[in-house]
């Protein structure tokens, strides 16, 4: 008996000591042939391409890109095989076009040949459908200011200059000619054209020349690479830039901007990898690839100008950021395993311009449902209906609002999604209805791995219809995931997406109700026994597309299909809510994302801010990190700090791993319960402001959670500040990232002062303030010159707040002026698209507050009205003495007294407060302070 | 009792109907949400916030604007986050809710008074709900009444049992003293005999050697006869010196044991005693005769087990131990060898990182074992203990407890064995012969032994050579019998001591729990709770320790078991059993609300306290009386 028990112990030890990031299970650049090849070339070491046959057609510029004649295209190709062989370098087709608003598009692909060679993969359904229609050139003719140079304007003040030999593309200001962005300035453009496999081509087994070109092994997996090498790489330079940002998803705890990965003074580093992976216990700071990929980079510099570059390619990408060789320029190297060049240059010039330009190509974030901005309570797993009821009751008992209760994989019958474990959840409809009666919603998980079980209807249908991704030999691909042996719907296929979407109908998804929404996890896709815990690259998708070509977008299509399913379920009238772990450019159109399986430690708390900021900059503003940390057990202090920070995340959800101790907010003693309640209440009171910001994001692409430099683009102090962030234009928040921290230094940018959200105390701008750290809140400030709408009545869930009155908090700037916005609609339907919304601007000047209608007069056929009134107006920075306010129309009076900033026990009166002005938010009115 | 209540209920229903009518129109603003005991507080024209921060006028009471940060001024509206709203709930019990529930569209008070803005249509359900609540309360009271009676009997029984055990312990201690004296004497005698035998044996050996040499000479002379005669000789030698051989075997055995038992501080005599025990168990291959033999028996199992799994497991054990001794850092960077795995194994392995399921990546067999055995032995493995302690699958003793008896290591072993035996009521101390006689005939068995020993000792003649074998065996047998009895006695003493040191409640009411286990079957698991000992979750043959007895909590309302088997990535398992009044002992509702933190409910009459019964009756009376109070107003 004894020895056996010891063995168990050892097994346990092995397992527990194994809980950490498995570096060796993921490829580094050196183990990735295309990356190794591309990275080994120094600038200007490649013979250069040249441009020929420039012409205008269909509103765009076309040209041939001629490979270097004196050298073989690929160094790896045996130079003995020569010009007549199919391997000899072939010209490429280059196309340039411009879109409204300062966007240049560059496409480079192989010429279609008669030899039946396969066309390279172009990622479908990511760009907005009208992008192609919007393509156009501003001028009918090209300019050629110098021989061998073609120029044309992109937008007022910007032009593109194409140098013919050597090939280089520069986006520059006109007429000054100052470069903004350039392509191939370092001469690193390379394009491995498809070629048939010849005898003697490397098969991956040998060493040397053929390294990984036609087959490659990684650990126990072999990638058959039947199509051989087809990588694309090039350099992009950002001129006038000090920092670059974006290209999520990477764990970044020590920097907001992307730190250089190569060059003088840089410790050797991996490039930033974009390859969607399910990474167990990821590190808090590393360039390795995580769950999602957005190949969009922004640059910003001291000239207060920004630019951006987006490469639409879903294959594995590796990106080097070179240490600046000269100030004000950042060079980057982009390497990709397959696909074509389909790249977009965004000229800015302001950072918000870049964001709008990117949004005009991949779409702005969808307008979420109001409830989705409130607090979400999740755990792997809420075990059964009793557990759900108890947690639900716990929130009520402790007067902590929440809106959504989540069920993880264990709610299903053997991890067959769309089913219920009927022993644990015998009455799912009633359970959801009970929550719905309190205005609450439920979210269940639906993952892409389908259990291979003939009695499971999804599997049966998918098998019969041939809806699964195929393996390299053409059979349904089988991988291992939560349910055991599983297959994966080939969601790249629009027909299959349609089929998948139908599974969410109330008829099809038994036990679902209209208050149920969806969570897509594991959609990288995660394949436990696959290479790097994902699908083999030689698996085959719809249209004979290899998985390597579409990998980074798999989760995107899955998210899309799920979101479409909910849209269909609601007859197009109910905004979907779908949280996805994997993402790609454009995922913002389909729902929220989160930063995956983080860990309950302070470093991950810190990392959440730069991670979410970079997600927001690349369109994915509806994002959050698991509050409390997924793995491990947070100390109460960490948990409280996480709630205090998470209350400002755009997506605010507490979540925990199966093996962690329960951590519902009331389980850590009265004091901590009160602190968490306070943090959640703060979020709920700010919901009108958040909702207004989401509206702004859905129109402009400007994220809800913003790096400071987005609001203060000329303040260099802010450029790499990853500890603080803005929520919209008006709030600044800084996390507390250390245990028992006594004091913290907070940099407040801009000329205007800032008012502490906690007590209304004013702090000067453009200065660092050393502040005492308080237990009850993290440093957060309202910028002088802004007006924030709040709702200060705390209900069980946001649903019950609909009719509650507003509080306006006006923070006056040095000229005693301020303004802010409020957007309101029904919070769930698409009627707002037809004008059913209220959009007000509040302007305070000359002691007069005016509510101005921002909604266009003829915005649509539908109307939204609200009887909500403003019950309280707090005016920070108003000189004392005011006693009354007069409201027009009606000539009513309202009293002014000194009141507290927040309605909490023990708060003291700090600012003039207008009692019960009771003006309707839907109306025009003016309030004059006497 | 019941009839007057019935009449009262009728009255209540009439009154409550009146109240429903009254609430059809919203109540006056000034009294909204205010509890009767607070009504006076709000009567003045200027009212202070309860926290003293400021004051407000009566106009500002419930005016939908929060003036007091503590919510004093808005008990009847949702304007203050900290406010409390009181609903009378005539016909049921009054309720205080968060004022954030006021006019939120959800009916919280059964009288519907929290929703007065006309947006929600709340029915007055107080009478219905109150009736149900009263019925429930009445049932509970009935249970308590019966329970209190049972409890009183149980308490009485427990007290008696406790007193009896205390008395027995005192008696046993006395007997132990006497018996110990006898055993000492016998031991002395036995040693002398053995010394004499040893001398004799040496003599004999010499003689045999001489004979053997002669025989060999003869063998050389006559080769043909060699084989037969040699065999004959060996046989003869074996026969004659069987004791010697056994002795050697035992010496070897002792070494093994010494090697394994670092705490073995036995005297030389002790070793000999042990040898004797071994001989018996060896020869007889029967049930171990006394506690002493149990240890060697264990060794035998370990060394000679033919269970392949065990041997494999043991050898794996080494490598695993080595692997585990590596620093975790090394582990992190050491590439996990996944080459040899099948696709499915790899999938399971990776999945196990998130789930912590036991997946042995290399040996299916081990994995299956792990699964079969469940977590039964994790506890043992996690706290490295001397082999003999781990052997005791029961393990009710902590190291600390064991050390209490460290002046005599034998005690430990026997003690544990006793405990082990004791789990099975069929094999208890009392089933033993000595025990029976003890039970029936007081100390007569001891007297008998005393006489017998006396006679044996006297009969033996030391000066006779060679030693009289039958006399010597008499002494030995008597020694063995007596020391066996002594060890049983000691075992009983220590188990009684162990038992009596527990806290059995204010009235020792939980004394009977000591020898009881409670089981509950939930789905595939059987939960077994043995108060003062341990709790486990059993599935088929595998058993997971949910915890070892820790203590009572919340003044004997919770039994806490802690330090159970460790969870992957999680805490040690633990169990809290909440006790509540019921007519019989019944374990129900075992649950794991937090990972590896179990809770259960045990109904027992022992929790049917008389005071609580009075409280409940008071509560019911209040519920019945409430309407009439209002009637008076």
């Amino acid at each position: 008996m004894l020895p056996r028990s010891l063995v168990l112990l050892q097994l346990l030890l092995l397992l527990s000591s194994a809980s950490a990031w498995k570096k060796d299970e993921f490829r580094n650049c050196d183990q990735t042939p295309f990356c190794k090849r591309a990275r080994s070339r120094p600038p200007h070491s490649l013979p250069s391409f040249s441009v020929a046959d420039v012409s205008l057609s269909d509103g765009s510029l076309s040209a041939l890109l001629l490979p270097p004649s004196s050298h073989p295209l690929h160094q790896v190709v045996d130079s003995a095989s020569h010009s007549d062989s199919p391997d000899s370098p072939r010209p490429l087709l280059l196309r340039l076009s411009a879109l409204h608003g300062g966007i240049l598009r560059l496409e480079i692909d192989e010429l279609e040949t008669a030899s039946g060679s396969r066309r390279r993969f172009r990622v479908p359904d990511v760009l907005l459908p009208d992008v192609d229609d919007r393509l156009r050139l501003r001028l009918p003719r090209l300019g050629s200011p110098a021989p061998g140079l073609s120029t044309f304007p992109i937008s007022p003040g910007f032009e593109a200059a194409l140098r013919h030999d050597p090939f280089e593309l520069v986006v520059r200001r006109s007429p000054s000619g100052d470069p903004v962005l350039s392509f191939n300035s370092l001469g690193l453009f390379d394009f491995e054209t498809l070629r048939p496999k010849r005898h003697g081509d490397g098969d991956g087994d040998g060493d040397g020349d053929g390294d990984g070109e036609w087959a490659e092994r990684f650990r126990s997996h072999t990638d058959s690479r039947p199509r051989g090498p087809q990588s694309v790489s090039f350099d992009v330079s950002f001129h006038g830039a000090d920092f670059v940002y974006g290209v999520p998803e990477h764990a970044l705890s020590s920097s907001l901007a992307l730190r250089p990965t190569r060059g003088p003074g840089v410790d050797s580093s991996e490039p930033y990898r974009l390859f969607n992976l399910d990474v167990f216990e990821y590190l808090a700071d590393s360039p390795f690839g995580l769950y999602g990929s957005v190949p969009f980079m922004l640059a910003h510099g001291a000239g207060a100008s920004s630019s951006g570059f987006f490469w639409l390619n879903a294959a594995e990408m590796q990106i080097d950021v070179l240490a600046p060789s000269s100030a004000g320029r950042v060079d980057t190297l982009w390497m990709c395993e397959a696909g074509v060049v389909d790249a977009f240059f965004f000229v800015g010039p302001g950072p918000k311009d870049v964001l709008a330009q990117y949004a005009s190509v991949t779409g702005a974030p969808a307008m979420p449902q109001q409830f989705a901005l409130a607090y979400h309570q999740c755990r792997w797993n809420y075990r059964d209906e009793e557990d759900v009821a108890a947690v639900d009751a716990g929130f009520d008992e402790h007067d902590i609002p929440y809106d959504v209760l989540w069920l993880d994989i264990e709610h299903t019958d053997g991890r067959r999604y769309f089913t219920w474990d009927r022993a644990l959840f015998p009455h799912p409809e009633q359970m959801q209805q009970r929550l719905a009666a309190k205005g609450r919603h439920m979210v269940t998980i639906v993952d892409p791995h389908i259990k291979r079980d003939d009695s499971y209807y999804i599997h049966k249908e998918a098998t019969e219809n041939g809806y699964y991704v195929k393996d390299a030999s053409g059979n349904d691909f089988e991988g291992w995931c939560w349910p055991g042996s599983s297959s994966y719907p080939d969601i790249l296929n629009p027909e299959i997406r349609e089929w998948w979407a139908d599974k969410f109908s109330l008829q099809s998804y038994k036990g679902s109700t209209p208050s149920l929404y969806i969570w897509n996890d594991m959609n990288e896709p995660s394949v436990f026994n696959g290479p790097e815990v994902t699908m083999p690259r030689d698996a085959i998708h719809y249209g004979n597309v290899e998985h390597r070509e579409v990998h980074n977008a798999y989760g995107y299509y899955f998210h899309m299909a799920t979101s479409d399913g909910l849209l269909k379920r609601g007859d197009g009238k109910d905004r979907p809510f779908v949280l996805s772990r994997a993402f790609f450019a454009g995922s913002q159109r389909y729902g929220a994302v989160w930063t995956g399986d983080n860990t309950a430690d302070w470093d991950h708390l810190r990392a959440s801010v730069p991670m979410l900021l970079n997600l927001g900059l690349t369109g994915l503003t509806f994002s959050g990190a698991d509050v409390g940390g997924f793995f491990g057990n947070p100390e109460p202090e960490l948990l409280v700090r996480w709630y205090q920070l998470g209350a400002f995340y755009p997506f605010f959800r507490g979540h925990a791993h199966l093996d962690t101790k329960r951590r519902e907010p009331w389980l850590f003693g009265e004091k901590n319960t009160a602190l968490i309640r306070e943090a959640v209440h703060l979020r709920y009171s700010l919901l009108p402001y958040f909702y207004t910001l989401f509206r702004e994001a859905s129109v402009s692409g400007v994220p809800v959670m913003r790096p400071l430099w987005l609001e203060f683009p000329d303040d260099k102090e802010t450029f790499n500040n990853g500890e603080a962030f803005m929520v919209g234009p008006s709030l600044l928040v800084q996390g507390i990232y250390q245990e028992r921290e006594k004091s913290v230094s907070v940099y407040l940018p801009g000329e205007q002062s800032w008012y502490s959200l906690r007590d209304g105390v004013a702090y000067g701008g453009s200065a660092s303030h050393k502040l005492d750290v308080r237990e009850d809140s993290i440093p957060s400030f309202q910028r002088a010159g802004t007006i924030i709408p709040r709702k200060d009545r705390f209900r069980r869930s946001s649903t019950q707040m609909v009719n509650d009155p507003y509080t306006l908090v006006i923070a006056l700037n040095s000229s005693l002026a301020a303004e802010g916005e409020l957007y309101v609609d029904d919070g769930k339907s698409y009627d707002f698209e037809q004008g059913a919304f209220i959009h007000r601007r509040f302007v305070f000047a000359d002691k007069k507050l005016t509510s101005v209608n921002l909604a266009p007069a003829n915005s649509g056929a539908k109307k939204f009205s609200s009887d909500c009134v403003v019950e309280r107006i707090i005016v920070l920075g108003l000189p004392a003495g005011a006693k009354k306010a007069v409201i027009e129309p009606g000539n009513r009076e309202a009293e002014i007294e000194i009141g507290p900033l927040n309605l909490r026990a023990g708060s003291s009166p700090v600012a003039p407060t207008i009692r019960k002005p009771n003006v309707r938010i839907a109306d025009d009115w003016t309030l004059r302070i006497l | 009792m019941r009839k007057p209540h019935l009449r009262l209920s009728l009255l209540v229903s009439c009154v409550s109907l009146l109240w429903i009518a009254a609430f059809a129109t919203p109540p006056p603003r000034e009294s909204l949400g205010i509890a009767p005991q607070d009504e006076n507080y709000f009567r003045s024209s200027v009212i202070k916030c309860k926290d003293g921060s400021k004051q407000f006028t009566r106009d500002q009471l419930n005016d939908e604007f929060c003036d007091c940060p503590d919510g004093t001024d808005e008990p009847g509206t949702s304007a203050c986050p900290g406010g409390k709203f009181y609903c009378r709930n005539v016909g049921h019990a009054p309720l205080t809710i968060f004022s954030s529930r006021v006019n939120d569209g959800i009916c919280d008070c059964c009288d519907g008074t929290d929703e007065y803005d006309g947006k929600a249509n709340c029915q007055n359900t107080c009478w219905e709900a109150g009736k149900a609540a009263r019925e429930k309360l009445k049932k509970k009271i009935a249970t308590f009444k019966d329970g209190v009676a049972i409890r009183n009997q149980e308490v009485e029984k427990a007290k008696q049992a406790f007193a009896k055990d205390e008395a027995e312990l005192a008696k046993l201690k006395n007997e132990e003293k006497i018996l110990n004296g006898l055993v000492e004497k016998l031991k002395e005698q036995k040693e002398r005999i053995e010394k004499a035998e040893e001398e004799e044996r040496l003599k004999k050996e010499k003689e045999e050697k001489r004979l053997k040499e002669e025989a060999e000479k003869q063998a050389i002379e006559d080769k043909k006869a060699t084989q037969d005669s040699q065999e004959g000789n060996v046989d003869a030698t074996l026969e004659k010196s069987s004791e010697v051989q056994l002795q050697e075997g035992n010496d070897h055995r002792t070494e093994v044991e010494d090697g394994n038992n670092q705490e073995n501080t036995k005297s030389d005599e002790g070793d000999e005693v042990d040898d004797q025990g071994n001989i018996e168990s060896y020869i007889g291959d029967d049930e171990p005769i006394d506690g002493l033999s149990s240890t060697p028996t264990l060794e035998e199992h370990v060394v000679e087990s033919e269970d392949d799994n065990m041997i494999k497991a043991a050898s794996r054990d080494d490598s695993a131990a080595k692997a585990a001794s590596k620093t975790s850092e090394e582990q992190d960077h050491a590439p996990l060898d996944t080459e040899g795995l099948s696709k499915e194994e790899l999938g399971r392995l990776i999945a196990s990182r998130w789930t912590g399921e036991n997946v042995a990546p290399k040996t299916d067999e081990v994995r299956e074992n792990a699964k079969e055995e469940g977590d039964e032995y994790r506890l043992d493995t996690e706290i490295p203990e001397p082999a003999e302690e781990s052997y005791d699958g029961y393990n009710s003793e902590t190291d600390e407890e064991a050390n209490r008896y460290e002046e005599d290591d034998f005690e430990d072993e026997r003690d544990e064995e006793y405990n082990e035996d004791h789990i099975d009521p069929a094999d208890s101390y009392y089933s033993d012969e000595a025990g029976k006689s003890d039970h029936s005939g007081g100390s007569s068995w001891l007297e008998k032994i005393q006489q017998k020993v006396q006679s044996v000792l006297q009969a033996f003649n030391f000066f006779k050579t060679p030693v009289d074998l039958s006399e010597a065996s008499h002494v030995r047998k008597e020694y063995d019998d007596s020391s066996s009895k002594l060890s049983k006695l000691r075992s009983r003493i220590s188990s009684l001591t162990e038992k009596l040191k527990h806290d059995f409640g204010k009235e020792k009411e939980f004394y009977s729990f000591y020898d009881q286990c409670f089981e509950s079957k939930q789905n595939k698991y059987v939960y077994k709770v043995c108060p003062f000992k341990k709790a486990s979750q059993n599935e088929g043959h595998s058993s997971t320790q949910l915890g070892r007895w820790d203590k009572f909590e919340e003044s004997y309302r919770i039994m806490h078991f802690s330090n159970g088997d460790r969870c992957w990535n999680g805490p040690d398992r633990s169990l809290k059993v909440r006790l509540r009044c019921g007519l019989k002992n019944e374990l129900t509702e075992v649950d794991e609300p937090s990972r590896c933190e179990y809770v259960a409910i045990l109904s027992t009459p022992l929790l049917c306290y008389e005071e609580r019964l009075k409280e409940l009756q008071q509560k019911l009376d209040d519920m019945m009386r409430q309407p009439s109070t209002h009637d008076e107003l």
Side-chain angles (χ1 to χ4, degrees), chain B residues 497-511:
Chain B
T497 311
E498 168 67 15
K499 179 178 180 182
L500 289 169
K501 78 182 167 64
H502 283 292
D503 172 6
F504 293 103
K506 284 177 194 147
E507 303 171 84
K508 308 260 181 270
E509 64 266 39
F510 293 103
Y511 197 63

Side-chain angles (χ1 to χ4, degrees), chain A residues 1-25 217-221 278-281 379-380 383-384 387 395-400 410 415 424 437-439 478 480-482 526-531 533 536 581 597 630-633 657-662 681 792-796 800 803-805 871-872 895 897-898 900 902-908 913-917, chain B residues 51 53-54 60 63-70 73 77-82 98-106 108 114 119 302 307 309-310 312-314 316-317 320-321 323-324 328 331-339 342-344 346-361 366-367 369-370 372-378 380-382 387 390-391 566-571 591-597:
Chain A
M1 310 273 253
L2 180 67
R4 207 181 293 184
S5 54
L6 273 173
V7 168
L8 267 172
L9 169 67
Q10 311 303 355
L11 275 175
L12 287 172
L13 284 176
L14 278 172
L15 281 172
S16 56
S17 67
S19 9
W21 181 50
K22 299 290 179 301
K23 188 180 175 188
D24 298 286
E25 286 181 20
R217 276 182 65 77
F218 179 69
R219 297 172 67 85
S220 57
H221 303 279
D278 182 1
V279 182
F280 180 73
E281 297 196 341
R379 173 175 183 83
W380 178 21
R383 198 187 44 197
D384 53 22
D387 198 5
F395 276 94
D396 288 346
E397 190 185 323
H398 297 92
D399 200 23
I400 300 173
E410 315 299 344
R415 284 114 184 227
L424 301 175
K438 292 183 192 166
E478 285 183 41
W480 194 272
C481 208
W482 293 130
S526 180
V527 181
F528 289 153
N529 58 354
V533 198
R581 191 168 71 181
D597 297 351
F630 178 67
F631 289 114
N633 294 304
H657 182 271
L658 185 68
D659 284 315
T660 59
K661 289 167 87 84
R662 293 293 281 243
H681 274 176
D792 287 351
R793 300 198 176 190
F794 302 121
R795 305 296 198 172
R796 261 173 279 236
Q800 291 97 41
N803 298 314
D804 281 343
E871 66 171 333
R872 175 191 290 102
E895 285 175 50
E897 60 182 24
I898 304 298
N902 300 293
L903 300 170
R904 85 162 82 73
S907 58
S908 43
T913 300
I914 304 169
R915 281 182 113 252
K916 300 206 276 183
Chain B
D51 64 4
S53 61
K54 59 187 276 195
Q60 289 172 322
D63 72 340
E64 284 278 358
F65 187 85
C66 186
D67 290 292
C68 300
D70 71 349
D73 63 313
T77 79
S78 60
C80 285
F98 297 113
S99 63
S100 63
R101 315 291 198 246
V102 174
N103 288 334
D104 69 347
I106 299 164
D108 290 283
D114 59 315
K119 290 198 171 101
V302 173
D307 183 342
N309 285 345
M310 283 189 185
K312 271 188 197 158
R316 214 192 120 60
D317 183 27
S328 58
Q331 280 291 312
D332 295 345
H333 296 294
L336 187 60
D337 181 19
T338 54
E339 299 278 331
S342 74
K343 286 273 179 191
E344 177 173 339
L346 180 60
R348 283 186 193 278
L349 179 70
I350 301 296
S352 74
R353 287 177 185 161
W354 280 269
T355 61
E357 276 163 22
N358 286 338
V359 180
V366 174
R367 178 170 69 216
N369 286 338
E372 275 168 26
E373 296 295 325
D375 299 328
E376 187 172 6
Y377 305 104
R378 282 196 207 166
D380 299 342
T381 57
E382 269 170 20
S390 300
Y391 152 71
R566 151 115 357 129
C567 276
W568 178 76
N569 238 0
D591 200 358
E592 188 186 358
S594 185
R595 184 72 168 167
C596 298
E597 295 178 354

Side-chain angles (χ1 to χ4, degrees), chain A residues 615-630:
Chain A
L615 284 172
L617 285 173
T618 53
L620 296 158
T621 192
F622 199 9
S623 60
D626 283 345
V627 170
F630 178 67

Side-chain angles (χ1 to χ4, degrees), chain B residues 458-474:
Chain B
Q458 281 164 3
F460 194 81
N461 180 358
F462 274 104
F463 306 101
K464 198 175 164 193
T465 314
V467 175
D468 180 333
L469 280 176
S470 82
E471 290 289 331
S473 77
H474 258 115

Side-chain angles (χ1 to χ4, degrees), chain B residues 204-215:
Chain B
K204 234 188 213 169
E205 245 179 72
K206 260 186 203 165
E207 179 68 11
E208 276 168 8
K209 204 178 169 192
R210 196 181 53 81
L211 288 173
K212 202 177 171 190
E213 279 165 6
E214 280 175 13

Side-chain angles (χ1 to χ4, degrees), chain A residues 65 94 106 108 161 163 167-171 181-190 232-237 239 309 311 334 341 343 345:
Chain A
L65 201 51
L94 175 149
L106 166 68
I108 302 175
R163 190 171 58 165
F167 161 55
E168 185 190 10
L169 176 65
V170 182
V171 174
L181 292 151
S182 60
F183 184 93
N184 203 29
S185 298
L186 303 184
L188 290 173
F189 174 71
D190 186 31
V232 182
S233 53
F234 52 76
D235 58 274
V236 174
S237 300
H239 303 267
F309 175 77
W311 183 9
W334 300 62
V341 178
F345 300 81

